[in-house]
Amino acid sequence: MKLMRWGEPGAERPGLVDADGQLRDLSAHVPALDGAALAPAMLDRLRALDPAQLPLLPPGTRLGVPWGGMGKFLCVGLNYADHAAEAGMPLPAEPVLFMKPPSCTIGARDAVWLPRGSVKTDWEVELGVVIGRVARDVDEARAMACVAGYCVVNDLSEREFQLERGGTWDKGKGCDTFGPVGPWLVTADEVPDPQDLTLWLDVNGEPMQRGSTRTMVFGVAHLVSYISRFMTLYPGDLLSTGTPPGVGMGRKPQPVYLKAGDHLRLGIAGLGEQSLHVQARPPG
């Protein structure tokens, strides 16, 4: 099942994508797609609906972040062996964790705004893991039962802010619009093996990132279990699991960064695509 939210920012309503790729309105059956709606019993109830009986949405309908009420937006750094090699950094002995504020999230077709003073804004296509059950110090055998589904994430990063301005990574990761999510949340039953998905990203039609979740250093089950030792994961929390090689910072012979007017297309097999235009932030 592919779940999504549609409508204007701040007023998104629940929906789903039918087998023919058409957008359908779920508003009559669930008041909101949030953490509570991601519980197994609620997902089973939605799965039992006949999509053909749901109202169609018009072409061009805006898609927001696929669910609301995201409490935590957790990210894993250097989690692809080939990306660590690209960055010239050793493989981590344990997952490298940081957070992006949920306020940075946008829909899969919204505009990306370059922050004031940006000179090194970069891209990162990543597999997102959406929590559907409370996970508190769970072992790996139980970790996957806590996953509601998966989505495409673009972990946009301003590298100068992140690496050259002193302190933690967060200031380069949490800028407004630096967290495109979606276009939809694909429930876990439709993703039999999250460790066998292809990822890709193009800038202005030029291939940049090509990778597979097979090269993750730490897989999804390990990450959910590991993180749940340090903090409780709640329904609606998002875990972004790292990026494959091909980021702008690692381009040879010299790095390439985003500028106003650029167009990003990215996706993950079976999870949909994002189409994002980069714009300069207006004054004020």
Side-chain angles (χ1 to χ4, degrees):
M1 184 166 54
K2 295 180 174 67
L3 299 172
M4 54 83 183
R5 291 192 308 152
W6 59 276
E8 294 304 308
E12 292 92 346
R13 303 173 68 181
L16 62 74
V17 186
D18 68 20
D20 296 321
Q22 299 182 102
L23 305 183
R24 302 275 183 169
D25 184 5
L26 266 178
S27 300
H29 298 275
V30 60
L33 281 178
D34 53 16
L38 300 179
M42 177 59 76
L43 292 180
D44 285 343
R45 201 183 93 178
L46 297 178
R47 203 173 281 116
L49 297 173
D50 178 5
Q53 302 303 311
L54 301 174
L56 280 169
L57 297 176
T61 295
R62 176 188 174 269
L63 301 179
V65 177
W67 72 101
M70 184 188 301
K72 291 191 283 295
F73 187 164
L74 291 150
C75 301
V76 183
L78 297 174
N79 195 37
Y80 281 70
D82 38 9
H83 173 55
E86 169 187 61
M89 302 181 74
L91 294 181
E94 296 188 31
V96 175
L97 303 180
F98 62 93
M99 289 189 176
K100 293 169 80 86
S103 60
C104 79
T105 59
I106 57 172
R109 301 170 190 167
D110 288 342
V112 170
W113 295 96
L114 296 175
R116 182 170 60 85
S118 170
V119 293
K120 296 182 179 180
T121 292
D122 204 346
W123 55 81
E124 296 187 17
V125 59
E126 306 200 359
L127 172 66
V129 179
V130 187
I131 301 300
R133 295 186 185 185
V134 173
R136 182 180 295 113
D137 199 14
V138 298
D139 58 29
E140 287 193 37
R142 295 182 294 136
M144 298 303 282
C146 300
V147 175
Y150 303 91
C151 62
V152 181
V153 174
N154 189 352
D155 175 22
L156 288 155
S157 310
E158 213 300 340
R159 301 300 189 188
E160 187 197 36
F161 296 2
Q162 176 190 359
L163 302 172
E164 302 173 32
R165 300 287 291 271
T168 65
W169 288 5
D170 300 61
K171 67 182 71 171
K173 294 284 189 173
C175 304
D176 291 350
T177 76
F178 269 29
V181 178
W184 35 74
L185 183 162
V186 180
T187 52
D189 59 299
E190 294 197 9
V191 184
D193 186 0
Q195 303 308 145
D196 189 22
L197 300 173
T198 56
L199 307 86
W200 60 274
L201 182 146
D202 297 345
V203 179
N204 301 326
E206 180 180 353
M208 292 292 180
Q209 289 190 274
R210 296 292 185 271
S212 170
T213 56
R214 290 191 300 271
T215 69
M216 277 186 183
V217 180
F218 305 104
V220 171
H222 181 83
L223 291 172
V224 173
S225 173
Y226 179 87
I227 295 170
S228 77
R229 292 170 49 196
F230 301 99
M231 64 192 80
T232 300
L233 299 174
Y234 291 98
D237 285 351
L238 173 62
L239 169 58
S240 199
T241 56
T243 199
V247 299
M249 182 175 62
R251 301 291 293 181
K252 300 293 189 278
Q254 63 183 18
V256 176
Y257 296 111
L258 294 171
K259 62 186 183 302
D262 283 345
H263 178 233
L264 287 161
R265 286 187 66 241
L266 58 144
I268 300 176
L271 303 185
E273 299 183 8
Q274 297 185 4
S275 178
L276 304 158
H277 289 279
V278 180
Q279 300 181 17
R281 181 177 291 280

